[in-house]
Amino acid sequence: SSAPSAPAVPASSDNDSDQTTIGNAVSSADIQELGGQAVPWANAGTGSRGSITELVELKDGGLTCRRFNATRESFDGVAMYQGELCIADAGGWRMQEFKAL
């Protein structure tokens, strides 16, 4: 007898998980202490890793945002992204933009 195989997890769920991991690293980074150094990140759930560079914090009319570039190294290759994370009304960080370059 054979057991049914588990459904394949779509690659987009890995990307979403990595995006969340990158967002967490961006929101928790101490920009003053970094002094322009890259922030490494890794996602044990997907096996992906990379670094966050060009991390800057901007304040516009009371809205605080962080812009960044990130690399993602995974089994399917290396990709570069550009993103922006802003503090939402509830006080938590929210990804405003995350696009492949």
Side-chain angles (χ1 to χ4, degrees):
S1 79
S2 66
S5 62
V9 177
S12 65
S13 69
D14 283 356
N15 288 340
D16 291 346
S17 178
D18 290 342
Q19 179 179 325
T20 299
T21 301
I22 292 168
N24 290 339
V26 168
S27 66
S28 62
D30 185 336
I31 293 177
Q32 300 293 335
E33 192 173 301
L34 285 172
Q37 295 181 63
V39 177
W41 68 271
N43 184 343
T46 64
S48 301
R49 63 184 174 161
S51 62
I52 298 159
T53 58
E54 299 181 40
L55 178 57
V56 294
E57 187 167 287
L58 309 163
K59 296 186 184 207
D60 182 23
L63 184 64
T64 300
C65 296
R66 291 183 172 186
R67 288 190 186 146
F68 61 92
N69 289 336
T71 59
R72 176 182 178 262
E73 301 170 28
S74 66
F75 70 92
D76 58 354
V78 177
M80 294 186 66
Y81 296 89
Q82 186 175 59
E84 182 174 276
L85 201 68
C86 297
I87 295 181
D89 293 336
W93 290 89
R94 181 175 178 187
M95 192 70 73
Q96 297 294 107
E97 178 182 17
F98 192 77
K99 63 180 180 180
L101 296 178

